[in-house]
Amino acid sequence: MREDVGVSLDDPEHVRHEYETDAALAARQSVYSEREGDDTFAMILDAIREPSPRRVLEVGGGQGTLAERIVGELHVELVGVDQSAHMVELQRVLGLDARVGDVQDLPFEDGAFDCAVAAWMLYHVPDLTRGLTELARVLAPGGRLVAVTNGLDHLNEL
């Protein structure tokens, strides 16, 4: 049996294990299914929409739910990168251009995207500075990074 006590959220082996299937991610996502307040996806879409991007990169997109909305509602070209082959396959089933990769070493030219999206995944990056540097590198001048993460007290009501 796996012992996860003391494992860091950015430990590559732990992250790889958690995303071999979508069961663990789906369980975490279910915590938010009945939350109240603003629609987080709508706020993310507004942040992406504002600079009128044509080409968007989403890193760590999980099952592709957000990417599917970005493409469907904003009519942009989107490339998804996830370190989990399983998550990439789930995205491809949705018709998305998804590729296995690492935010710390993105396989794209400098300035290749108008917008990059990193939603609820930066805490999994072992070298955050390197990951953010890569995201900045692949953004065109004046491009936008939309990063979403949880606050320290985001589960207090539970």
Side-chain angles (χ1 to χ4, degrees):
M1 187 159 153
R2 186 172 168 85
E3 179 75 29
D4 286 332
V5 176
V7 171
S8 173
L9 291 175
D10 63 359
D11 175 84
E13 181 58 32
H14 175 73
V15 173
R16 195 170 7 270
H17 172 73
E18 284 292 299
Y19 293 95
E20 286 174 342
T21 73
D22 57 330
L25 177 57
R28 285 190 296 279
Q29 290 169 331
S30 72
V31 170
Y32 303 100
S33 65
E34 301 206 20
R35 71 168 193 79
E36 296 176 5
D38 295 334
D39 177 353
T40 307
F41 278 11
M43 290 188 298
I44 294 168
L45 288 167
D46 286 345
I48 297 167
R49 180 183 294 111
E50 186 180 32
S52 301
R54 292 180 316 234
R55 195 154 192 250
V56 175
L57 170 67
E58 184 188 25
V59 293
Q63 304 105 319
T65 307
L66 178 58
E68 188 176 41
R69 282 191 65 181
I70 292 169
V71 171
E73 294 181 32
L74 304 182
H75 309 289
V76 298
E77 177 187 346
L78 182 135
V79 177
V81 172
D82 201 295
Q83 68 177 1
S84 166
H86 179 67
M87 296 301 166
V88 166
E89 184 57 34
L90 292 175
Q91 291 179 37
R92 288 177 178 167
V93 166
L94 297 174
L96 299 167
D97 178 355
R99 307 166 190 189
V100 175
D102 186 339
V103 69
Q104 299 169 110
D105 187 23
L106 293 169
F108 305 107
E109 293 183 18
D110 296 358
F113 297 93
D114 305 306
C115 183
V117 180
W120 299 286
M121 58 74 64
L122 291 173
Y123 47 82
H124 289 313
V125 181
D127 186 341
L128 184 57
T129 299
R130 184 174 163 198
L132 291 172
T133 299
E134 276 292 277
L135 287 167
R137 180 186 65 75
V138 300
L139 280 172
R144 174 173 286 189
L145 170 61
V146 177
V148 182
T149 191
N150 296 325
L152 293 175
D153 61 354
H154 76 283
L155 294 177
N156 278 354
E157 70 273 12
L158 292 179

